[in-house]
Amino acid sequence: MRDDPFAELPDSAALRAALARPFRGSPSGWGELAPVPWTPAGRFHPDAVDPGSRLDYHTGCAYPQDASSQLPVVLLDPQPGEVVIDCCAAPGSKATQIGLALGDDGLLVCLDASPPRRTVLAENLARQGVACALVTPLPLHRFAERSPGCADAVLVDAPCSGHEERSARQVTRMAQRQLALLADAARLAAPGGRLVYSTCTPYRAEDEGVILAFLAAHDGWAVERVVAPGCDSDLADLGAVRLWPHRQGSEPFFACRLRAPADGHRSSLAGSAPEPADDLRRWLPTTPLTAWRRGDLLFMASAACAACALPSEARGLIVGRGTPLRPDPWGAQALIERGAPAVAVSHADAIALWAGGGIDAAVDDGALLRTAEGGPLGVAERADGRTRLRLPSRMRRSGLA
């Protein structure tokens, strides 16, 4: 394949895909769901299905994510208890995937250069109930200076030229930017730590070229050869993987796993834990999560996230606010997913509730609600003898299926 990959790349549309969330139920009514070979929870779905029109999306049972985008986190292989850094985290698909893999034991630090994109990132993490994530405004280079060697695993899903044709000068400029990002991110890896570099572009200069330039400038680093089911090998026999629209039905993609040198010093991100609050015990008598209050808000997070010393714009999950506590929508869904008692309603009633309507079922004000299939809905409120779902108007959706 030449340096201009578009000359040989067929015009093939990528298949639409989503990540399934088994702890929140199974997607229903989506038509035939084919497995994504390289991601156990990944599913291809028919083009006609708009995830935003499905109740399953709003309960967090399924999260729309291109199949190729699911690959880097599979290679990163985050494990509970680890510290993981996502260096270009917004809008949050891969960050969510990492957070779900870590569960309630570990720390995910999310960075992004754009404040508006960090806002979207924080909401997507909350929507999916990720309690181990911290969104920091620290720029990557300052973070690397402050906390070198702090992470078990680092992800650099780098800005790239995408799927558009670019001039050689544009590609070269982008590759230089990517190499600088990769060099800063590498400083964060602990001795022997993992680093995954990925892009959604077919340009060799931004993929294999960046890896070769990085290895030439960083002694001791090595590519850890990977073979992912259904994926092609890279174009320089580095041990990385590639995806193509005409081969895998995904967007063009490149991903490479690197291993840091075993020698060096590991730093810690641990700081002081907040003063604990007991409010969470009302719903979760036994939980590894830490709960604390800040003003009117009750937060919950993994112990490592709660005590992380980094400045943050978002940390863990907002469970609710006020005294007595009134759960927030995403916080309520996270509680239900973790086993908090909830009243089941039919799928039809759930759709009516999400649209802002009322149902006749007599449910106590403040009770948690879920679908009969297990999808978490949120918090009930009683008004005019009917049960409604406590949702801000901006979150209400009609016409769901």
Side-chain angles (χ1 to χ4, degrees), residues 108-310:
L108 168 61
V109 179
C110 300
L111 296 83
D112 198 271
S114 167
R117 284 169 58 86
R118 291 198 299 270
T119 300
V120 174
L121 166 64
E123 180 161 332
N124 279 330
L125 290 167
R127 177 190 291 273
Q128 289 292 294
V130 176
C132 61
L134 178 152
V135 179
T136 180
L138 276 178
L140 175 58
H141 69 278
R142 285 184 55 198
F143 184 24
E145 292 170 356
R146 170 177 173 157
S147 304
C150 66
D152 299 285
V154 182
L155 175 63
V156 182
D157 185 52
C160 65
S161 293
H163 318 145
E164 302 296 327
E165 292 196 57
R166 308 289 185 187
S167 69
R169 177 178 294 181
Q170 288 174 315
V171 172
T172 298
R173 187 181 300 120
M174 183 62 73
Q176 292 169 344
R177 180 185 177 192
Q178 292 159 339
L179 183 58
L181 282 171
L182 183 55
D184 281 335
R187 298 175 62 188
L188 293 167
R194 314 182 298 283
L195 189 156
V196 168
Y197 171 83
S198 61
T199 77
C200 59
T201 189
Y203 284 109
R204 292 184 65 162
E206 299 182 37
D207 298 331
E208 290 89 348
V210 168
I211 296 299
L212 289 168
F214 173 80
L215 294 175
H218 293 80
D219 291 340
W221 279 84
V223 172
E224 196 164 74
R225 300 185 72 90
V226 293
V227 177
C231 299
D232 288 1
S233 58
D234 69 273
L235 302 177
D237 194 29
L238 294 170
V241 293
R242 274 192 177 264
L243 300 172
W244 304 99
H246 60 295
R247 294 273 299 160
Q248 285 83 22
S250 72
E251 301 287 0
F253 215 83
F254 171 87
C256 180
R257 186 164 72 195
L258 298 154
R259 184 70 67 168
D263 58 327
H265 171 71
R266 169 149 196 167
S267 64
S268 174
L269 297 176
S272 300
E275 185 70 26
D278 293 331
D279 308 68
L280 202 56
R281 304 299 174 184
R282 168 184 167 188
W283 295 281
L284 303 176
T286 303
T287 178
L289 294 170
T290 297
W292 73 97
R293 278 189 175 270
R294 180 175 299 164
D296 197 41
L297 300 177
L298 177 69
F299 293 82
M300 70 178 183
S302 66
C305 180
C308 181
L310 292 175

Side-chain angles (χ1 to χ4, degrees), residues 97 190 209 313 358 387 397:
Q97 199 178 350
E313 294 177 339
T387 297
R397 295 291 185 275

Side-chain angles (χ1 to χ4, degrees), residues 348-359 381 383 386-400:
D349 279 350
I351 289 173
L353 288 169
W354 204 269
I359 61 174
E381 58 183 11
R386 308 199 79 199
T387 297
R388 301 182 185 275
L389 191 63
R390 188 182 300 153
L391 280 177
S393 59
R394 67 178 181 85
M395 291 173 56
R396 292 175 186 161
R397 295 291 185 275
S398 58
L400 298 180

Side-chain angles (χ1 to χ4, degrees), residues 299-351:
F299 293 82
M300 70 178 183
S302 66
C305 180
C308 181
L310 292 175
S312 63
E313 294 177 339
R315 185 183 298 255
L317 294 167
I318 297 175
V319 181
R321 60 195 69 221
T323 304
L325 188 73
R326 296 173 67 84
D328 274 13
W330 303 137
Q333 289 192 350
L335 291 173
I336 297 166
E337 177 186 3
R338 288 163 173 81
V343 178
V345 301
S346 70
H347 189 83
D349 279 350
I351 289 173

